[in-house]
Amino acid sequence: MERKNVIEEKSFQFALEIIGLAKTLEKEKKEFVLSKQILRSGTAIGALVREAEHAESKKDFIHKMSIVLKEANETRYWLDLLIGSKFVIKQECGELRDEIVQIIKLLAAIVKSSKLNS
């Protein structure tokens, strides 16, 4: 039986939701700069998680996952900025904001436990 990779699944689903948000920002709000920023950072999380799966060593894995954590934190910044600037209302992005916080916590735990076990 294959084990589920929770961070891979969460980051993929999050990326799909970010793509929807970026489309909405472009079509309905005519906001192109912030939509590209959130699209880039929000979809990079999952891509970098996939890359880390094939790390060459434990040290390489920790390094790659640390980069994923930074990207997730940047995505949280862009979501906060979109909410703070009123391009989106908090109710529209509340679930996305909660999801990125969960992803950040999970990534931080992965990095921490990997460092302890290296």
Side-chain angles (χ1 to χ4, degrees):
M1 190 164 125
E2 190 175 328
R3 277 180 37 194
K4 279 176 47 175
N5 185 330
V6 175
I7 192 61
E8 184 179 319
E9 290 180 12
K10 281 184 167 293
S11 61
F12 185 80
Q13 289 304 313
F14 182 79
L16 292 174
E17 293 174 33
I18 286 294
I19 291 168
L21 173 62
K23 284 180 179 179
T24 300
L25 286 168
E26 289 179 357
K27 288 182 180 177
E28 294 178 14
K29 307 286 184 171
K30 304 298 183 212
E31 172 45 57
F32 300 100
V33 175
L34 293 176
S35 67
K36 292 294 185 220
Q37 291 286 9
I38 193 88
L39 180 65
R40 185 197 56 75
S41 66
T43 57
I45 297 165
L48 292 166
V49 165
R50 292 265 179 107
E51 183 181 334
E53 288 177 358
H54 298 285
E56 295 175 8
S57 64
K58 187 75 157 186
K59 184 177 178 180
D60 187 37
F61 176 79
I62 293 167
H63 175 71
K64 289 179 184 314
M65 291 305 283
S66 295
I67 293 170
V68 179
L69 180 57
K70 289 179 183 181
E71 204 68 41
N73 197 43
E74 179 184 337
T75 302
R76 183 175 63 178
Y77 170 80
W78 293 120
L79 280 171
D80 289 344
L81 192 63
L82 286 167
I83 293 167
S85 64
K86 310 249 189 300
F87 272 108
V88 295
I89 56 173
K90 193 170 186 173
Q91 291 78 8
E92 290 175 334
C93 285
E95 286 184 33
L96 270 178
R97 179 68 168 69
D98 293 343
E99 188 64 28
I100 195 61
V101 168
Q102 289 176 17
I103 289 170
I104 288 168
K105 287 178 182 177
L106 185 55
L107 289 167
I110 290 168
V111 170
K112 183 179 179 180
S113 68
S114 296
K115 285 180 179 178
L116 290 174
N117 294 325
S118 63

